[in-house]
Amino acid sequence: MPPRFPRGFFDAPAIEVAPALLGQYLVRVTGDGPELRARIVETEAYEPDDGASHSFRGSTPRNRVMFGPPGHLYVYLVYGLHHCLNVVTRSVGEGSAVLLRAAEPLDGLAGRDVCRGPGRLGKAFRADRRLDGQDLVAGSTIWLERGARLAPDAIEAGPRIGITRAIERPWRWRIAGDPWVSR
DNA sequence: TCCCCGATTAACT
DNA sequence: GTTAATCGGGGAG
């Protein structure tokens, strides 16, 4: 089994962790089905001073995991329908995370588009608020594993999707030309 | 308490 | 390109 990332990998700004997560693996074990595995191909960063971030107005019951230790999973419900997966970054009290937007299905996932888009990725990995706060470094339910390190020119940045504030920040990253990215 | 609207998606025209 | 689905968070009163 490939190594996981150490806690310190996540104790950094989301704008650094987001591109570094491209090409890495998301793994999930459920009570019944097979192990799920996918390769991350698209991410977005949300920072503490970022008007588009849930953490912008401080800690609340919903987003408190964002203000906890790095390397944990933040799961929230959007539009009353979809659960999105985020990786908490930066140190305790800062409020920063990386949204996982798309991945290449590998093991235990049927269908071309099941991981294309944050809502579908959450559904494919059977995420809901019960997964909020899971430890991605030392937990045994959902975690991240190291994949190949990508060359800088294999990564491209662009504007974030679906937000109405801080739209000028080019904080979405994806693997250039990858067939599994969203949209 | 009320009310608006969102880090989306699928199913329309 | 447009819109319904669906519901909880959090600001306003």
Side-chain angles (χ1 to χ4, degrees):
Chain A
M1 183 149 65
R4 299 195 190 187
F5 293 93
R7 187 78 58 196
F9 172 81
F10 303 102
D11 191 1
I15 58 172
E16 293 178 12
V17 177
L21 282 176
L22 298 177
Q24 316 306 315
Y25 298 95
L26 180 65
V27 187
R28 163 99 157 103
V29 170
T30 61
D32 41 0
E35 181 176 281
L36 309 178
R37 179 179 298 264
R39 178 174 176 260
I40 297 166
V41 300
E42 184 176 340
T43 59
E44 281 181 359
Y46 288 86
E47 295 285 15
D49 68 342
D50 174 5
S53 175
H54 291 171
S55 63
F56 187 63
R57 289 179 181 79
S59 179
T60 67
R62 174 176 67 151
N63 66 16
R64 65 180 182 79
V65 169
M66 280 187 84
F67 292 86
H72 288 251
L73 187 71
Y74 168 48
V75 180
Y76 66 88
L77 178 67
V78 254
Y79 299 106
L81 296 167
H82 311 291
H83 290 278
C84 295
L85 300 170
N86 301 259
V87 177
V88 174
T89 60
R90 290 187 183 265
S91 302
V92 171
E94 298 198 77
S96 178
V98 174
L99 171 67
L100 305 181
R101 287 195 57 89
E104 173 187 355
L106 296 175
D107 301 336
L109 297 163
R112 253 201 81 81
D113 300 330
V114 293
C115 300
R116 182 192 293 280
R120 289 190 280 198
L121 182 63
K123 181 183 177 188
F125 276 76
R126 298 215 244 155
D128 59 34
R129 286 285 288 171
R130 290 173 297 183
L131 277 192
D132 188 48
Q134 286 288 319
D135 187 355
L136 298 167
V137 175
S140 54
T141 299
I142 185 169
W143 64 88
L144 292 160
E145 292 178 1
R146 286 184 183 278
R149 180 177 170 176
L150 298 181
D153 65 0
I155 297 172
E156 61 187 14
R160 293 178 290 183
I161 303 293
I163 57 169
T164 57
R165 293 183 301 188
I167 57 176
E168 73 285 358
R169 300 186 183 192
W171 287 353
R172 177 168 57 112
W173 288 270
R174 60 187 187 181
I175 299 177
D178 192 279
W180 305 98
V181 298
S182 71
R183 274 190 179 247

